Amino acid sequence: MTALSLAVGFAAIALFAGYTATVYESLKSQAIYGELLGHLTIARPAYFEASRQEPTRFLLGKEQVGSISSIVKSEFPGSTVAVRLGFSGLLSNGRASSIFVAESLDPEAMRALRGPRARASGGLDEKSPQGVTLSRGLAQILNLRDGSDGAVLVSTVTGQANASDVQIVDTFSTGNVATNDKFMFAPLSLAQSLMDVQGQADRVTVLLPEGTDVNTARHQLADRLATKEDGLTVEVWQDLSIFYAQVKALFDRVFAFVLAIVLVIVAMSVANAMGMSVIERTREIGTLRAMGLRRSGVIRIFIAEALVLVSVGCLLGAVLTVGITYGVNQLDISYRPPNATEEVPFVIGFDLIKAGFGALALTCIGALASLFPARRAAAQPIVISLTHV
């Protein structure tokens, strides 16, 4: 029963760790390819905090954008460089209007930046210079469909009003309720014309070649830019995706809480098992002590027994984890997370690092839990142990 409780405890840790690993990977893909954050973003310092108040202060000049692109390509051949410009305003269907927040980039760069999601809905069309894609909520509000015409009204960087006709080429879901009724993608040339900033941009997004270490690339690129283009900062996607950071922090705390509960249960189970073992084998302990076995030897025997018990429990737990994982993944379960617009599959993966850490923690707790009854057994006088009934 102790081994079974250890197996269930280890399986609980491994299953939750596997589920969170799947969630993290999904959020990572959504941030890099869905939100088009790429791996790295190059901009002026404080751009993400104050660019809306002073847009002209954070713009990158045409020559500077070209220099940044050349540096990235020379440092990381095969990388994708996307020049970006964000803007906002009003979108109208001719009868009603609604606010929008837009991101603009070159259609070809957008396709490359989306990586495995290149064929998903929401992509820009290089053959349509006035073509924009709308989030489904925004399109529904204004009753706009693929092929519909609309008009946008924005403020230039100098505060003047500017308008342009647009054509809806596609709709998409942002996956988030907060943005699904106001988001738009537009060609970079259209945004530059509307904002009256020909050739300029506010940031450059970089998608690194597969297998490149992001943090190492960040420091390497920052050092190179410091010598060529002073006054720029390089941010990694984890720092820009607030949702990813919040969800990861929450799940990490929940994992620590689950691990703490399991460790307490394991400690009580092992201590109870070892305590009963000491009581049942008191005369055997006395006999061993009378034959010359030292107290440390008695303690080692019980610790070794506890370690074997934990090992068997973890092994059974690993088998249980694999079985449950396979069964759950075959059921094709889906659910809708909080603040999401669409259902996502419920999939359990494997996180060998956290599972290994859980097994190590169980082993340490099991050894410590067996230490107290073992010391009590070893400290008992030999005569009393031999006469124990």
Side-chain angles (χ1 to χ4, degrees), residues 180-230:
N180 205 43
D181 62 347
K182 60 178 68 69
F183 204 79
M184 174 195 295
F185 282 115
L188 179 63
S189 58
L190 175 62
Q192 290 173 333
S193 176
L194 285 167
M195 299 286 289
D196 195 20
V197 288
Q198 297 300 328
Q200 294 180 285
D202 54 22
R203 64 197 187 281
V204 176
T205 299
V206 180
L207 184 66
L208 297 169
E210 187 175 353
T212 306
D213 183 77
V214 176
N215 291 314
T216 301
R218 175 192 184 183
H219 294 299
Q220 181 178 340
L221 197 55
D223 293 340
R224 179 69 187 279
L225 287 171
T227 61
K228 296 289 185 178
E229 297 290 340
D230 194 19

mmCIF file of all heavy atoms in Angstrom, residues 180-230:
data_model
loop_
_atom_site.group_PDB
_atom_site.id
_atom_site.type_symbol
_atom_site.label_atom_id
_atom_site.label_comp_id
_atom_site.label_asym_id
_atom_site.label_seq_id
_atom_site.Cartn_x
_atom_site.Cartn_y
_atom_site.Cartn_z
ATOM 1 N N ASN A 180 -10.031 40.031 -29.886
ATOM 2 C CA ASN A 180 -10.703 39.465 -31.050
ATOM 3 C C ASN A 180 -11.732 40.407 -31.672
ATOM 4 O O ASN A 180 -12.240 40.124 -32.753
ATOM 5 C CB ASN A 180 -11.394 38.149 -30.672
ATOM 6 C CG ASN A 180 -11.572 37.232 -31.864
ATOM 7 O OD1 ASN A 180 -10.676 37.064 -32.682
ATOM 8 N ND2 ASN A 180 -12.771 36.661 -31.988
ATOM 9 N N ASP A 181 -12.063 41.507 -31.000
ATOM 10 C CA ASP A 181 -13.035 42.444 -31.568
ATOM 11 C C ASP A 181 -12.393 43.764 -32.008
ATOM 12 O O ASP A 181 -13.107 44.738 -32.258
ATOM 13 C CB ASP A 181 -14.158 42.727 -30.559
ATOM 14 C CG ASP A 181 -13.635 43.381 -29.298
ATOM 15 O OD1 ASP A 181 -12.399 43.389 -29.087
ATOM 16 O OD2 ASP A 181 -14.460 43.886 -28.509
ATOM 17 N N LYS A 182 -11.048 43.788 -32.116
ATOM 18 C CA LYS A 182 -10.428 45.063 -32.463
ATOM 19 C C LYS A 182 -9.094 44.951 -33.188
ATOM 20 O O LYS A 182 -8.413 45.951 -33.379
ATOM 21 C CB LYS A 182 -10.247 45.921 -31.206
ATOM 22 C CG LYS A 182 -9.376 45.288 -30.126
ATOM 23 C CD LYS A 182 -9.198 46.214 -28.930
ATOM 24 C CE LYS A 182 -10.482 46.405 -28.175
ATOM 25 N NZ LYS A 182 -10.924 45.184 -27.455
ATOM 26 N N PHE A 183 -8.685 43.756 -33.612
ATOM 27 C CA PHE A 183 -7.338 43.610 -34.157
ATOM 28 C C PHE A 183 -7.352 43.534 -35.675
ATOM 29 O O PHE A 183 -8.274 42.996 -36.289
ATOM 30 C CB PHE A 183 -6.650 42.364 -33.592
ATOM 31 C CG PHE A 183 -5.155 42.458 -33.631
ATOM 32 C CD1 PHE A 183 -4.459 43.188 -32.681
ATOM 33 C CD2 PHE A 183 -4.440 41.841 -34.635
ATOM 34 C CE1 PHE A 183 -3.077 43.287 -32.727
ATOM 35 C CE2 PHE A 183 -3.064 41.924 -34.695
ATOM 36 C CZ PHE A 183 -2.386 42.658 -33.740
ATOM 37 N N MET A 184 -6.282 44.056 -36.279
ATOM 38 C CA MET A 184 -6.151 44.095 -37.737
ATOM 39 C C MET A 184 -4.680 43.932 -38.126
ATOM 40 O O MET A 184 -3.784 44.388 -37.422
ATOM 41 C CB MET A 184 -6.667 45.434 -38.281
ATOM 42 C CG MET A 184 -6.445 45.647 -39.776
ATOM 43 S SD MET A 184 -6.672 47.383 -40.282
ATOM 44 C CE MET A 184 -8.406 47.602 -39.928
ATOM 45 N N PHE A 185 -4.460 43.271 -39.268
ATOM 46 C CA PHE A 185 -3.147 43.230 -39.912
ATOM 47 C C PHE A 185 -3.250 44.003 -41.221
ATOM 48 O O PHE A 185 -4.244 43.886 -41.942
ATOM 49 C CB PHE A 185 -2.701 41.800 -40.197
ATOM 50 C CG PHE A 185 -2.180 41.073 -38.989
ATOM 51 C CD1 PHE A 185 -2.846 39.966 -38.485
ATOM 52 C CD2 PHE A 185 -1.024 41.499 -38.353
ATOM 53 C CE1 PHE A 185 -2.372 39.301 -37.377
ATOM 54 C CE2 PHE A 185 -0.544 40.840 -37.229
ATOM 55 C CZ PHE A 185 -1.219 39.735 -36.745
ATOM 56 N N ALA A 186 -2.203 44.784 -41.517
ATOM 57 C CA ALA A 186 -2.200 45.597 -42.738
ATOM 58 C C ALA A 186 -0.816 45.555 -43.371
ATOM 59 O O ALA A 186 0.189 45.333 -42.684
ATOM 60 C CB ALA A 186 -2.588 47.040 -42.410
ATOM 61 N N PRO A 187 -0.719 45.769 -44.676
ATOM 62 C CA PRO A 187 0.596 45.835 -45.332
ATOM 63 C C PRO A 187 1.409 47.014 -44.791
ATOM 64 O O PRO A 187 0.853 48.071 -44.471
ATOM 65 C CB PRO A 187 0.248 46.032 -46.809
ATOM 66 C CG PRO A 187 -1.154 45.550 -46.948
ATOM 67 C CD PRO A 187 -1.823 45.861 -45.653
ATOM 68 N N LEU A 188 2.706 46.845 -44.709
ATOM 69 C CA LEU A 188 3.573 47.889 -44.171
ATOM 70 C C LEU A 188 3.490 49.164 -45.004
ATOM 71 O O LEU A 188 3.454 50.277 -44.454
ATOM 72 C CB LEU A 188 5.018 47.379 -44.132
ATOM 73 C CG LEU A 188 6.065 48.358 -43.604
ATOM 74 C CD1 LEU A 188 5.791 48.723 -42.156
ATOM 75 C CD2 LEU A 188 7.471 47.765 -43.749
ATOM 76 N N SER A 189 3.433 49.036 -46.326
ATOM 77 C CA SER A 189 3.379 50.224 -47.184
ATOM 78 C C SER A 189 2.117 51.032 -46.933
ATOM 79 O O SER A 189 2.150 52.271 -46.945
ATOM 80 C CB SER A 189 3.456 49.802 -48.652
ATOM 81 O OG SER A 189 2.393 48.903 -48.969
ATOM 82 N N LEU A 190 0.998 50.360 -46.691
ATOM 83 C CA LEU A 190 -0.256 51.061 -46.398
ATOM 84 C C LEU A 190 -0.157 51.807 -45.077
ATOM 85 O O LEU A 190 -0.568 52.973 -44.975
ATOM 86 C CB LEU A 190 -1.418 50.064 -46.368
ATOM 87 C CG LEU A 190 -2.788 50.624 -45.961
ATOM 88 C CD1 LEU A 190 -3.249 51.691 -46.943
ATOM 89 C CD2 LEU A 190 -3.814 49.497 -45.865
ATOM 90 N N ALA A 191 0.399 51.163 -44.054
ATOM 91 C CA ALA A 191 0.539 51.813 -42.750
ATOM 92 C C ALA A 191 1.484 53.008 -42.820
ATOM 93 O O ALA A 191 1.215 54.062 -42.225
ATOM 94 C CB ALA A 191 1.041 50.795 -41.723
ATOM 95 N N GLN A 192 2.585 52.877 -43.551
ATOM 96 C CA GLN A 192 3.527 53.992 -43.676
ATOM 97 C C GLN A 192 2.884 55.174 -44.385
ATOM 98 O O GLN A 192 3.124 56.331 -44.028
ATOM 99 C CB GLN A 192 4.773 53.523 -44.419
ATOM 100 C CG GLN A 192 5.635 52.566 -43.616
ATOM 101 C CD GLN A 192 6.783 51.978 -44.425
ATOM 102 O OE1 GLN A 192 6.694 51.861 -45.656
ATOM 103 N NE2 GLN A 192 7.861 51.600 -43.746
ATOM 104 N N SER A 193 2.046 54.883 -45.368
ATOM 105 C CA SER A 193 1.347 55.954 -46.063
ATOM 106 C C SER A 193 0.329 56.633 -45.150
ATOM 107 O O SER A 193 0.224 57.867 -45.129
ATOM 108 C CB SER A 193 0.652 55.397 -47.306
ATOM 109 O OG SER A 193 -0.114 56.391 -47.953
ATOM 110 N N LEU A 194 -0.408 55.839 -44.392
ATOM 111 C CA LEU A 194 -1.407 56.400 -43.485
ATOM 112 C C LEU A 194 -0.763 57.226 -42.381
ATOM 113 O O LEU A 194 -1.270 58.285 -41.992
ATOM 114 C CB LEU A 194 -2.243 55.272 -42.867
ATOM 115 C CG LEU A 194 -3.297 54.619 -43.768
ATOM 116 C CD1 LEU A 194 -3.815 53.340 -43.134
ATOM 117 C CD2 LEU A 194 -4.435 55.584 -44.033
ATOM 118 N N MET A 195 0.370 56.732 -41.856
ATOM 119 C CA MET A 195 1.052 57.414 -40.758
ATOM 120 C C MET A 195 1.980 58.524 -41.246
ATOM 121 O O MET A 195 2.533 59.271 -40.445
ATOM 122 C CB MET A 195 1.853 56.399 -39.937
ATOM 123 C CG MET A 195 1.011 55.307 -39.283
ATOM 124 S SD MET A 195 0.079 55.915 -37.893
ATOM 125 C CE MET A 195 1.380 56.184 -36.713
ATOM 126 N N ASP A 196 2.161 58.624 -42.568
ATOM 127 C CA ASP A 196 3.037 59.623 -43.171
ATOM 128 C C ASP A 196 4.473 59.468 -42.682
ATOM 129 O O ASP A 196 5.121 60.430 -42.254
ATOM 130 C CB ASP A 196 2.520 61.039 -42.879
ATOM 131 C CG ASP A 196 3.186 62.078 -43.780
ATOM 132 O OD1 ASP A 196 3.721 61.687 -44.836
ATOM 133 O OD2 ASP A 196 3.174 63.273 -43.417
ATOM 134 N N VAL A 197 4.954 58.231 -42.703
ATOM 135 C CA VAL A 197 6.336 57.925 -42.278
ATOM 136 C C VAL A 197 6.974 57.009 -43.327
ATOM 137 O O VAL A 197 7.302 55.857 -43.039
ATOM 138 C CB VAL A 197 6.367 57.263 -40.884
ATOM 139 C CG1 VAL A 197 6.028 58.255 -39.806
ATOM 140 C CG2 VAL A 197 5.392 56.068 -40.825
ATOM 141 N N GLN A 198 7.136 57.493 -44.528
ATOM 142 C CA GLN A 198 7.655 56.688 -45.619
ATOM 143 C C GLN A 198 9.029 56.105 -45.279
ATOM 144 O O GLN A 198 9.954 56.826 -44.925
ATOM 145 C CB GLN A 198 7.752 57.528 -46.895
ATOM 146 C CG GLN A 198 6.411 58.027 -47.403
ATOM 147 C CD GLN A 198 5.449 56.891 -47.734
ATOM 148 O OE1 GLN A 198 5.895 55.821 -48.153
ATOM 149 N NE2 GLN A 198 4.157 57.120 -47.548
ATOM 150 N N GLY A 199 9.112 54.763 -45.382
ATOM 151 C CA GLY A 199 10.379 54.080 -45.144
ATOM 152 C C GLY A 199 10.724 53.864 -43.684
ATOM 153 O O GLY A 199 11.722 53.211 -43.384
ATOM 154 N N GLN A 200 9.924 54.390 -42.761
ATOM 155 C CA GLN A 200 10.230 54.270 -41.344
ATOM 156 C C GLN A 200 9.419 53.144 -40.697
ATOM 157 O O GLN A 200 8.439 52.647 -41.261
ATOM 158 C CB GLN A 200 9.954 55.593 -40.614
ATOM 159 C CG GLN A 200 10.871 56.730 -41.035
ATOM 160 C CD GLN A 200 10.540 58.004 -40.291
ATOM 161 O OE1 GLN A 200 9.552 58.674 -40.572
ATOM 162 N NE2 GLN A 200 11.402 58.364 -39.343
ATOM 163 N N ALA A 201 9.841 52.751 -39.508
ATOM 164 C CA ALA A 201 9.164 51.696 -38.752
ATOM 165 C C ALA A 201 9.405 51.932 -37.272
ATOM 166 O O ALA A 201 10.226 52.776 -36.888
ATOM 167 C CB ALA A 201 9.672 50.324 -39.179
ATOM 168 N N ASP A 202 8.702 51.182 -36.444
ATOM 169 C CA ASP A 202 8.915 51.354 -35.003
ATOM 170 C C ASP A 202 9.693 50.207 -34.367
ATOM 171 O O ASP A 202 10.186 50.326 -33.262
ATOM 172 C CB ASP A 202 7.582 51.569 -34.269
ATOM 173 C CG ASP A 202 6.563 50.477 -34.543
ATOM 174 O OD1 ASP A 202 6.972 49.376 -34.944
ATOM 175 O OD2 ASP A 202 5.354 50.729 -34.360
ATOM 176 N N ARG A 203 9.815 49.075 -35.076
ATOM 177 C CA ARG A 203 10.601 47.966 -34.544
ATOM 178 C C ARG A 203 10.878 46.946 -35.636
ATOM 179 O O ARG A 203 10.255 46.979 -36.713
ATOM 180 C CB ARG A 203 9.897 47.291 -33.371
ATOM 181 C CG ARG A 203 8.593 46.620 -33.706
ATOM 182 C CD ARG A 203 7.803 46.354 -32.430
ATOM 183 N NE ARG A 203 6.604 45.576 -32.655
ATOM 184 C CZ ARG A 203 5.476 46.059 -33.126
ATOM 185 N NH1 ARG A 203 5.396 47.342 -33.465
ATOM 186 N NH2 ARG A 203 4.416 45.280 -33.281
ATOM 187 N N VAL A 204 11.801 46.062 -35.351
ATOM 188 C CA VAL A 204 12.168 44.997 -36.283
ATOM 189 C C VAL A 204 12.074 43.673 -35.529
ATOM 190 O O VAL A 204 12.654 43.511 -34.456
ATOM 191 C CB VAL A 204 13.591 45.193 -36.841
ATOM 192 C CG1 VAL A 204 13.983 44.009 -37.728
ATOM 193 C CG2 VAL A 204 13.688 46.503 -37.619
ATOM 194 N N THR A 205 11.328 42.731 -36.095
ATOM 195 C CA THR A 205 11.150 41.414 -35.481
ATOM 196 C C THR A 205 12.042 40.403 -36.190
ATOM 197 O O THR A 205 12.138 40.408 -37.426
ATOM 198 C CB THR A 205 9.682 40.971 -35.565
ATOM 199 O OG1 THR A 205 8.872 41.914 -34.858
ATOM 200 C CG2 THR A 205 9.493 39.602 -34.940
ATOM 201 N N VAL A 206 12.681 39.532 -35.410
ATOM 202 C CA VAL A 206 13.619 38.551 -35.963
ATOM 203 C C VAL A 206 13.170 37.145 -35.582
ATOM 204 O O VAL A 206 12.926 36.858 -34.404
ATOM 205 C CB VAL A 206 15.043 38.793 -35.428
ATOM 206 C CG1 VAL A 206 16.015 37.762 -36.003
ATOM 207 C CG2 VAL A 206 15.511 40.209 -35.762
ATOM 208 N N LEU A 207 13.041 36.296 -36.580
ATOM 209 C CA LEU A 207 12.784 34.872 -36.364
ATOM 210 C C LEU A 207 14.069 34.128 -36.674
ATOM 211 O O LEU A 207 14.521 34.095 -37.815
ATOM 212 C CB LEU A 207 11.650 34.382 -37.269
ATOM 213 C CG LEU A 207 11.211 32.924 -37.077
ATOM 214 C CD1 LEU A 207 10.577 32.742 -35.707
ATOM 215 C CD2 LEU A 207 10.236 32.502 -38.167
ATOM 216 N N LEU A 208 14.680 33.561 -35.648
ATOM 217 C CA LEU A 208 15.990 32.928 -35.784
ATOM 218 C C LEU A 208 15.885 31.554 -36.437
ATOM 219 O O LEU A 208 14.837 30.907 -36.381
ATOM 220 C CB LEU A 208 16.639 32.793 -34.405
ATOM 221 C CG LEU A 208 16.932 34.101 -33.670
ATOM 222 C CD1 LEU A 208 17.308 33.818 -32.224
ATOM 223 C CD2 LEU A 208 18.041 34.882 -34.366
ATOM 224 N N PRO A 209 16.976 31.088 -37.037
ATOM 225 C CA PRO A 209 16.984 29.727 -37.596
ATOM 226 C C PRO A 209 16.740 28.699 -36.497
ATOM 227 O O PRO A 209 17.079 28.920 -35.325
ATOM 228 C CB PRO A 209 18.397 29.590 -38.183
ATOM 229 C CG PRO A 209 18.857 30.992 -38.404
ATOM 230 C CD PRO A 209 18.229 31.803 -37.315
ATOM 231 N N GLU A 210 16.154 27.586 -36.858
ATOM 232 C CA GLU A 210 15.835 26.542 -35.891
ATOM 233 C C GLU A 210 17.099 26.039 -35.203
ATOM 234 O O GLU A 210 18.127 25.808 -35.830
ATOM 235 C CB GLU A 210 15.132 25.380 -36.601
ATOM 236 C CG GLU A 210 14.598 24.322 -35.659
ATOM 237 C CD GLU A 210 13.814 23.246 -36.392
ATOM 238 O OE1 GLU A 210 13.593 23.422 -37.616
ATOM 239 O OE2 GLU A 210 13.433 22.262 -35.762
ATOM 240 N N GLY A 211 17.005 25.887 -33.883
ATOM 241 C CA GLY A 211 18.133 25.390 -33.098
ATOM 242 C C GLY A 211 19.015 26.473 -32.506
ATOM 243 O O GLY A 211 19.918 26.177 -31.720
ATOM 244 N N THR A 212 18.780 27.730 -32.851
ATOM 245 C CA THR A 212 19.587 28.830 -32.320
ATOM 246 C C THR A 212 19.139 29.169 -30.901
ATOM 247 O O THR A 212 17.937 29.286 -30.633
ATOM 248 C CB THR A 212 19.446 30.088 -33.196
ATOM 249 O OG1 THR A 212 19.759 29.756 -34.544
ATOM 250 C CG2 THR A 212 20.372 31.190 -32.707
ATOM 251 N N ASP A 213 20.080 29.295 -29.987
ATOM 252 C CA ASP A 213 19.756 29.678 -28.618
ATOM 253 C C ASP A 213 19.353 31.156 -28.584
ATOM 254 O O ASP A 213 20.130 32.028 -28.995
ATOM 255 C CB ASP A 213 20.953 29.441 -27.699
ATOM 256 C CG ASP A 213 20.629 29.756 -26.247
ATOM 257 O OD1 ASP A 213 19.964 28.946 -25.601
ATOM 258 O OD2 ASP A 213 21.046 30.840 -25.774
ATOM 259 N N VAL A 214 18.142 31.418 -28.099
ATOM 260 C CA VAL A 214 17.591 32.769 -28.176
ATOM 261 C C VAL A 214 18.370 33.741 -27.302
ATOM 262 O O VAL A 214 18.697 34.857 -27.731
ATOM 263 C CB VAL A 214 16.097 32.756 -27.776
ATOM 264 C CG1 VAL A 214 15.532 34.170 -27.765
ATOM 265 C CG2 VAL A 214 15.309 31.889 -28.742
ATOM 266 N N ASN A 215 18.667 33.358 -26.078
ATOM 267 C CA ASN A 215 19.359 34.279 -25.166
ATOM 268 C C ASN A 215 20.777 34.590 -25.633
ATOM 269 O O ASN A 215 21.240 35.733 -25.540
ATOM 270 C CB ASN A 215 19.378 33.694 -23.751
ATOM 271 C CG ASN A 215 18.004 33.673 -23.124
ATOM 272 O OD1 ASN A 215 17.268 34.655 -23.183
ATOM 273 N ND2 ASN A 215 17.633 32.557 -22.522
ATOM 274 N N THR A 216 21.459 33.564 -26.153
ATOM 275 C CA THR A 216 22.797 33.800 -26.690
ATOM 276 C C THR A 216 22.731 34.741 -27.889
ATOM 277 O O THR A 216 23.551 35.664 -28.024
ATOM 278 C CB THR A 216 23.445 32.469 -27.106
ATOM 279 O OG1 THR A 216 23.522 31.605 -25.974
ATOM 280 C CG2 THR A 216 24.844 32.698 -27.647
ATOM 281 N N ALA A 217 21.743 34.501 -28.760
ATOM 282 C CA ALA A 217 21.573 35.364 -29.926
ATOM 283 C C ALA A 217 21.236 36.795 -29.515
ATOM 284 O O ALA A 217 21.692 37.759 -30.150
ATOM 285 C CB ALA A 217 20.471 34.804 -30.825
ATOM 286 N N ARG A 218 20.471 36.925 -28.467
ATOM 287 C CA ARG A 218 20.113 38.275 -27.994
ATOM 288 C C ARG A 218 21.357 39.056 -27.603
ATOM 289 O O ARG A 218 21.537 40.212 -28.003
ATOM 290 C CB ARG A 218 19.164 38.157 -26.805
ATOM 291 C CG ARG A 218 18.817 39.488 -26.163
ATOM 292 C CD ARG A 218 18.119 39.286 -24.845
ATOM 293 N NE ARG A 218 17.687 40.551 -24.262
ATOM 294 C CZ ARG A 218 17.098 40.654 -23.084
ATOM 295 N NH1 ARG A 218 16.868 39.582 -22.351
ATOM 296 N NH2 ARG A 218 16.738 41.841 -22.626
ATOM 297 N N HIS A 219 22.216 38.444 -26.789
ATOM 298 C CA HIS A 219 23.426 39.139 -26.345
ATOM 299 C C HIS A 219 24.376 39.406 -27.510
ATOM 300 O O HIS A 219 24.991 40.486 -27.586
ATOM 301 C CB HIS A 219 24.125 38.313 -25.264
ATOM 302 C CG HIS A 219 23.336 38.187 -23.999
ATOM 303 N ND1 HIS A 219 22.964 39.274 -23.233
ATOM 304 C CD2 HIS A 219 22.831 37.104 -23.363
ATOM 305 C CE1 HIS A 219 22.284 38.875 -22.176
ATOM 306 N NE2 HIS A 219 22.186 37.559 -22.228
ATOM 307 N N GLN A 220 24.491 38.447 -28.406
ATOM 308 C CA GLN A 220 25.374 38.616 -29.564
ATOM 309 C C GLN A 220 24.887 39.759 -30.442
ATOM 310 O O GLN A 220 25.684 40.606 -30.880
ATOM 311 C CB GLN A 220 25.411 37.312 -30.360
ATOM 312 C CG GLN A 220 26.324 37.359 -31.584
ATOM 313 C CD GLN A 220 26.353 36.017 -32.308
ATOM 314 O OE1 GLN A 220 26.007 34.976 -31.741
ATOM 315 N NE2 GLN A 220 26.752 36.049 -33.564
ATOM 316 N N LEU A 221 23.581 39.811 -30.669
ATOM 317 C CA LEU A 221 23.021 40.856 -31.517
ATOM 318 C C LEU A 221 23.090 42.216 -30.833
ATOM 319 O O LEU A 221 23.364 43.238 -31.473
ATOM 320 C CB LEU A 221 21.574 40.507 -31.866
ATOM 321 C CG LEU A 221 20.935 41.254 -33.042
ATOM 322 C CD1 LEU A 221 21.779 41.093 -34.300
ATOM 323 C CD2 LEU A 221 19.520 40.738 -33.281
ATOM 324 N N ALA A 222 22.857 42.241 -29.524
ATOM 325 C CA ALA A 222 22.923 43.511 -28.785
ATOM 326 C C ALA A 222 24.331 44.085 -28.823
ATOM 327 O O ALA A 222 24.518 45.308 -28.981
ATOM 328 C CB ALA A 222 22.471 43.289 -27.342
ATOM 329 N N ASP A 223 25.345 43.218 -28.680
ATOM 330 C CA ASP A 223 26.738 43.690 -28.733
ATOM 331 C C ASP A 223 27.078 44.240 -30.116
ATOM 332 O O ASP A 223 27.760 45.269 -30.230
ATOM 333 C CB ASP A 223 27.686 42.547 -28.371
ATOM 334 C CG ASP A 223 27.557 42.113 -26.920
ATOM 335 O OD1 ASP A 223 27.030 42.912 -26.121
ATOM 336 O OD2 ASP A 223 27.949 40.975 -26.600
ATOM 337 N N ARG A 224 26.610 43.552 -31.151
ATOM 338 C CA ARG A 224 26.904 44.005 -32.526
ATOM 339 C C ARG A 224 26.192 45.328 -32.816
ATOM 340 O O ARG A 224 26.761 46.234 -33.420
ATOM 341 C CB ARG A 224 26.470 42.930 -33.506
ATOM 342 C CG ARG A 224 26.699 43.310 -34.962
ATOM 343 C CD ARG A 224 28.188 43.368 -35.306
ATOM 344 N NE ARG A 224 28.383 43.893 -36.645
ATOM 345 C CZ ARG A 224 28.266 43.175 -37.758
ATOM 346 N NH1 ARG A 224 27.936 41.884 -37.693
ATOM 347 N NH2 ARG A 224 28.492 43.725 -38.922
ATOM 348 N N LEU A 225 24.940 45.445 -32.386
ATOM 349 C CA LEU A 225 24.193 46.681 -32.626
ATOM 350 C C LEU A 225 24.780 47.854 -31.853
ATOM 351 O O LEU A 225 24.722 48.999 -32.306
ATOM 352 C CB LEU A 225 22.722 46.487 -32.227
ATOM 353 C CG LEU A 225 21.884 45.608 -33.161
ATOM 354 C CD1 LEU A 225 20.519 45.326 -32.543
ATOM 355 C CD2 LEU A 225 21.716 46.270 -34.526
ATOM 356 N N ALA A 226 25.355 47.564 -30.676
ATOM 357 C CA ALA A 226 25.931 48.638 -29.862
ATOM 358 C C ALA A 226 27.095 49.310 -30.571
ATOM 359 O O ALA A 226 27.369 50.500 -30.357
ATOM 360 C CB ALA A 226 26.380 48.084 -28.516
ATOM 361 N N THR A 227 27.777 48.555 -31.424
ATOM 362 C CA THR A 227 28.926 49.132 -32.137
ATOM 363 C C THR A 227 28.512 49.841 -33.431
ATOM 364 O O THR A 227 29.238 50.687 -33.927
ATOM 365 C CB THR A 227 29.935 48.030 -32.481
ATOM 366 O OG1 THR A 227 29.307 47.056 -33.340
ATOM 367 C CG2 THR A 227 30.421 47.329 -31.224
ATOM 368 N N LYS A 228 27.332 49.480 -33.961
ATOM 369 C CA LYS A 228 26.888 50.048 -35.234
ATOM 370 C C LYS A 228 25.712 51.004 -35.069
ATOM 371 O O LYS A 228 25.669 52.080 -35.673
ATOM 372 C CB LYS A 228 26.501 48.915 -36.191
ATOM 373 C CG LYS A 228 27.655 48.007 -36.590
ATOM 374 C CD LYS A 228 28.629 48.718 -37.516
ATOM 375 C CE LYS A 228 29.717 47.757 -38.000
ATOM 376 N NZ LYS A 228 30.650 48.412 -38.936
ATOM 377 N N GLU A 229 24.724 50.592 -34.291
ATOM 378 C CA GLU A 229 23.496 51.373 -34.124
ATOM 379 C C GLU A 229 23.250 51.580 -32.637
ATOM 380 O O GLU A 229 22.534 50.816 -31.986
ATOM 381 C CB GLU A 229 22.308 50.644 -34.777
ATOM 382 C CG GLU A 229 22.428 50.469 -36.266
ATOM 383 C CD GLU A 229 22.288 51.794 -37.009
ATOM 384 O OE1 GLU A 229 21.734 52.743 -36.425
ATOM 385 O OE2 GLU A 229 22.714 51.866 -38.175
ATOM 386 N N ASP A 230 23.846 52.591 -32.055
ATOM 387 C CA ASP A 230 23.720 52.842 -30.626
ATOM 388 C C ASP A 230 22.293 53.292 -30.297
ATOM 389 O O ASP A 230 21.609 53.911 -31.103
ATOM 390 C CB ASP A 230 24.718 53.920 -30.186
ATOM 391 C CG ASP A 230 24.858 53.962 -28.677
ATOM 392 O OD1 ASP A 230 24.494 52.967 -28.039
ATOM 393 O OD2 ASP A 230 25.329 54.995 -28.158
#
